[in-house]
């Protein structure tokens, strides 16, 4: 028998309202309202194969309105993915169920990213679409040619990051990005009119998008709009006018369906209104068969792609697969070592932001998948190397992106580049402006994505720009964030080592905190990557009474302070600690050897003292900055805050 579109869409509605009701928690309204749109997308349009959720040329689907997670869980089950099972759906929002309250990357095949924080799915989709165009430019239509589809709600479009995202996508001409807007005119508080009166279509049109509006409950109109979007060179917005909680007899079209279960009586009325006389979680065999048949449509596309892939030259196949697996090339470590050897032979006194650029010159030459960028601070962040062409709508094959003054949008797009695969993104701004990037950095960490954040002007050392630009508390805050590696290198050698470690960190983001001011080269050995231990002795002392622990630009100051202490008969060892996280992962005997219990331990960092006590102990000393900075030349600020060699030596002698 022929199964109607209505019955297939109602299967989504039924599963969604039943799962939310059983959990006594969740958001049934959006899945019920967008069921018709999603049915068209997954049965008529999208290219995917549930038997291979990692197929490189699949279309990507991003549920930016992640609170409506039962929409994607229903779609994955109905189309035949291995997970979720019906039992998984029955355990929606319960401990250890892959059907979490919001979609979580890595929990289920077919979930392309973690969504929930509104706007970030939409913003991240820019990176997905950009990765597709970039790889298409490198490998051609035979290997890379797919779309990124997004379902976004009013909340996504209200969040400020959405403006950064749509502006960037329009500027880059990302025609393979299609956003389906759930235009239901409802948010948690009530009608959208309570808080917004903008013309969304004009907003997107002004950003260079292709804009359409359709009845979201008319499947033919929805499909026609998507086909038109596919054939337009601009990114597309399709406003889908829907009724939130569609089918609920007394609650549809109201805020009460947004974030609460419908209740048993309303669900019974909904079944009657939809013509769905089946028990909870029951999907009739013919309806499930129709959905499973739709899920198998992409098998032929995948088989054809595999044929094209096998016809490609062997070296192309090998390189493409390596990049999509996220493996570094075999000559990567050798290239970094060769570069560091050149520094040992020819020492350099440069700011670590410049040292980062120098390291990138060597790295980008061998790591063809790196794509860099900056939030309008290229000359300050030193993120562009000589061989990088600009990536824009005229040259998607370029490897450097001018993100503009869109720090949050940049960080979210980098997540999309990383999640898509085949690309390793890095991008820069000032460390203080990680405040603008923070929600996306947090998603980098949650999703275990290799994204490198090049954060320069890392302390009061930036000088005259003053307290608004001096990141006093930022190192501490990111060290507190799980699965983030924070690197603060002390010189040109450590900077190269930290870059190597960041790129080898395949399962989480890294932050490189880099100086504006020049620093002397302290390292004269390169037998091993010493930064990989997180901390190490830079200077030994036979009869040490003190251990000076420092990071970044304060390491050379600690060495000078040790000289002053030695002149007074006080021997001090000096430890460089570029990474707390890596040091904490070392064996206890190594940590005790580096931070000898018998010595007075003194931490020195031009930042908040918060967190350092665990290294110095109760009797130790932390020399940091417990207030906002000031506007003055860097050397005056270091003196004012007591971080000169003389003042450090005085503080240590007083503590002894």
């Amino acid at each position: 028998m022929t199964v109607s579109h209505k019955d297939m869409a109602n299967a989504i509605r039924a599963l969604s309202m039943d799962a939310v009701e059983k959990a006594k928690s969740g958001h049934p309204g959006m899945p019920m309202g967008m069921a018709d749109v999603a049915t068209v997308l997954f049965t008529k349009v999208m290219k995917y194969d549930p038997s291979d959720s990692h197929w490189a040329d699949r279309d990507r689907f991003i549920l930016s309105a992640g609170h409506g997670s039962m929409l994607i869980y229903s779609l994955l089950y109905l189309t035949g993915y291995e997970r979720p099972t019906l039992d998984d759906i029955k355990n929606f929002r319960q401990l250890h169920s892959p059907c979490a309250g919001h979609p979580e990357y890595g929990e289920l095949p077919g979930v392309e990213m973690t969504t929930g924080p509104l706007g970030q799915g939409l913003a991240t989709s820019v990176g997905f679409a950009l990765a597709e165009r970039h790889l298409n430019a490198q490998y051609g239509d035979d290997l890379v040619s797919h779309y990124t589809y997004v379902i976004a709600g009013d909340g996504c479009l209200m969040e400020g990051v959405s403006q950064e995202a749509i502006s960037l996508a329009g500027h880059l001409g990302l025609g393979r990005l299609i956003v389906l807007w759930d235009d239901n005119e409802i948010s948690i508080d009530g009608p959208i009119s309570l808080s917004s009166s903008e013309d969304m279509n004009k907003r997107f049109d002004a950003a260079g998008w292709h804009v359409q509006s359709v009845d979201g409950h008319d499947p033919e109109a929805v499909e026609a709009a998507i086909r038109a979007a596919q054939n337009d060179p601009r990114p597309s917005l399709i406003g889908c006018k829907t009724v939130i909680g569609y089918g609920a007899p007394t609650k549809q079209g109201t805020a009460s369906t947004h974030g609460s279960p419908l209740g048993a009586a309303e669900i019974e009325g909904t079944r009657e209104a939809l013509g769905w006389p089946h028990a909870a979680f029951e999907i009739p065999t013919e309806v499930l068969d129709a959905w499973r048949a739709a899920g198998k449509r992409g098998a032929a596309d995948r088989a054809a792609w595999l044929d094209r892939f096998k016809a490609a030259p062997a070296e192309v196949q090998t390189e493409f697969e390596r990049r999509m697996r996220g493996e570094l090339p075999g000559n990567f470590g050798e290239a970094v070592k060769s570069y560091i050897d050149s520094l040992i032979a020819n020492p350099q006194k440069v700011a670590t932001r410049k040292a980062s650029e120098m390291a990138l010159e060597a790295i980008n030459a061998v790591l063809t998948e790196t794509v860099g960028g900056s939030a309008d601070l290229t000359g300050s962040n030193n993120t562009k190397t000589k061989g990088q062409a600009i990536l824009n709508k005229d040259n998607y094959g370029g490897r450097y992106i001018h993100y503009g003054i869109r720090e949050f949008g940049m960080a979210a797009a980098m997540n999309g580049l990383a999640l898509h695969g085949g690309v390793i993104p890095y991008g820069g701004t000032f460390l203080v402006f990680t405040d603008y990037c923070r929600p996306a950095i947090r998603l980098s960490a949650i999703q275990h994505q290799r994204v490198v954040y090049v954060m320069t002007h890392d302390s009061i050392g930036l000088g005259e720009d003053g307290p608004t630009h001096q990141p006093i508390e930022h190192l501490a805050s990111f060290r507190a964030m799980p699965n983030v590696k924070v690197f603060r290198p002390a010189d040109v050698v450590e900077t190269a080592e930290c870059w190597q470690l960041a790129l080898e960190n395949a399962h989480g983001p890294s932050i490189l905190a880099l100086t504006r001011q020049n620093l002397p080269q302290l390292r004269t050995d390169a037998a091993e990557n010493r930064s990989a231990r997180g901390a190490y002795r830079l200077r030994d002392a036979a009869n040490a009474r003190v251990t000076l622990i420092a990071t970044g630009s304060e390491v050379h100051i600690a060495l000078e302070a040790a000289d002053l202490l030695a002149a007074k008969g006080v021997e001090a060892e000096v430890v460089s600690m570029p990474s707390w996280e890596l040091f904490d992962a070392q064996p206890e005997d190594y940590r005790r050897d580096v931070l000898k219990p018998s010595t007075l331990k003194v931490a020195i960092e031009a930042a908040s003292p918060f967190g350092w006590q665990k290294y110095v102990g109760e009797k130790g000393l932390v020399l940091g900055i417990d207030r906002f900075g000031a506007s003055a030349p860097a050397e005056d600020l270091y003196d004012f805050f007591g971080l000169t060699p003389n003042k450090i030596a005085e503080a240590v002698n007083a503590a002894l």
Side-chain angles (χ1 to χ4, degrees), residues 14-15 17-19 21-22 86 90 267-268 271 276-283:
L15 283 174
M17 66 181 183
D18 289 342
E21 184 66 24
K22 185 174 186 296
L86 195 56
K90 289 178 180 178
I267 285 178
E268 191 62 31
R271 294 189 192 283
W276 187 265
H278 314 290
F281 299 105
E282 179 185 335
I283 307 297

Side-chain angles (χ1 to χ4, degrees), residues 74-146:
S74 299
L75 289 165
L76 296 176
Y77 167 70
L78 292 168
T79 53
Y81 283 81
E82 182 180 0
R83 301 284 296 271
T85 64
L86 195 56
D87 283 340
D88 290 331
I89 288 176
K90 289 178 180 178
N91 286 315
F92 174 58
R93 286 186 164 229
Q94 305 309 300
L95 187 63
H96 304 310
S97 171
C99 296
H102 294 84
E104 299 287 349
Y105 178 74
E107 289 288 335
L108 288 170
V111 173
E112 301 285 0
M113 69 165 292
T114 293
T115 55
L118 291 177
Q120 284 209 61
L122 173 61
T124 303
S125 73
V126 175
F128 276 95
L130 189 54
E132 188 275 339
R133 287 292 82 193
H134 178 65
L135 293 171
N136 172 269
Q138 295 182 327
Y139 291 100
D141 289 344
D142 281 351
L143 296 190
V144 184
S145 181
H146 55 265

Side-chain angles (χ1 to χ4, degrees), residues 76-413:
L76 296 176
Y77 167 70
L78 292 168
T79 53
Y81 283 81
E82 182 180 0
R83 301 284 296 271
T85 64
L86 195 56
D87 283 340
D88 290 331
I89 288 176
K90 289 178 180 178
N91 286 315
F92 174 58
R93 286 186 164 229
Q94 305 309 300
L95 187 63
H96 304 310
S97 171
C99 296
H102 294 84
E104 299 287 349
Y105 178 74
E107 289 288 335
L108 288 170
V111 173
E112 301 285 0
M113 69 165 292
T114 293
T115 55
L118 291 177
Q120 284 209 61
L122 173 61
T124 303
S125 73
V126 175
F128 276 95
L130 189 54
E132 188 275 339
R133 287 292 82 193
H134 178 65
L135 293 171
N136 172 269
Q138 295 182 327
Y139 291 100
D141 289 344
D142 281 351
L143 296 190
V144 184
S145 181
H146 55 265
Y147 289 87
T148 301
Y149 297 97
V150 182
I151 285 182
D154 288 298
C156 296
L157 302 187
M158 285 186 188
E159 288 287 358
V161 72
S162 70
Q163 184 58 37
E164 297 183 29
I166 67 173
S167 176
L168 183 60
H171 176 72
L172 292 171
L174 298 178
R176 296 300 184 95
L177 175 60
I178 298 175
V179 176
L180 300 148
W181 166 34
D182 180 18
D183 182 14
N184 61 33
E185 300 185 10
I186 294 293
S187 65
I188 290 177
D189 279 357
I192 292 297
S193 58
L194 290 172
S195 57
S196 178
S197 55
E198 66 191 302
D199 187 321
M200 204 61 70
N201 287 352
K202 288 182 180 178
R203 177 187 173 198
F204 277 78
D205 180 69
W209 286 55
H210 173 226
V211 178
Q212 303 173 80
S213 297
V214 297
D215 178 351
H217 301 299
D218 180 341
E220 289 77 18
V222 170
E223 182 178 358
I226 296 174
R227 300 297 182 194
Q230 289 176 328
N231 292 310
D232 195 281
R234 297 166 291 177
S236 289
L237 174 75
I238 303 173
C240 303
K241 183 62 69 176
T242 63
V243 177
I244 191 170
Y246 182 91
T250 69
K251 294 185 177 182
Q252 69 173 7
T254 69
S256 61
T257 69
H258 185 285
S260 301
L262 296 180
E266 189 75 6
I267 285 178
E268 191 62 31
T270 303
R271 294 189 192 283
E272 184 176 348
L274 294 176
W276 187 265
H278 314 290
F281 299 105
E282 179 185 335
I283 307 297
T285 300
E286 62 273 16
V287 174
L288 186 58
D289 287 347
W291 267 108
R292 295 289 162 87
K296 292 176 180 177
R297 292 178 309 109
D301 289 323
R302 183 172 67 89
W305 180 85
L306 283 170
D307 288 340
R308 295 194 301 274
F309 180 73
K310 291 173 183 177
E315 61 272 17
V316 172
Q317 294 182 46
T318 299
E319 180 69 358
F320 184 83
E321 288 186 321
R322 178 193 70 77
R323 288 180 59 167
M324 292 305 294
R325 286 195 304 268
E327 295 177 1
L328 300 178
N331 62 343
F332 171 69
E334 181 182 321
V336 175
K337 186 180 186 308
S338 177
Y339 166 65
I340 293 177
D341 286 342
S342 74
L343 296 174
I344 302 303
N346 183 26
Q348 302 287 316
K349 181 179 181 179
V350 295
T352 52
R353 60 171 176 161
K354 178 62 178 178
S356 172
E357 178 188 356
M358 293 161 59
L360 280 170
E361 290 285 356
I363 289 166
N364 285 341
V366 296
L367 206 57
T368 56
E369 57 265 47
T370 51
V371 172
S374 171
D376 199 55
L377 288 167
T378 296
S380 295
N381 299 148
N382 297 88
T383 40
K384 185 179 184 299
T385 56
K386 294 183 182 68
Q388 284 181 301
I390 303 304
L391 195 167
N392 57 30
K393 64 181 178 182
D394 299 317
N395 180 23
Y396 290 121
R399 293 173 59 191
Y400 192 82
I401 303 167
H402 287 293
Y403 285 104
I405 307 166
R406 303 182 181 99
E407 292 91 348
F408 193 177
M410 174 184 73

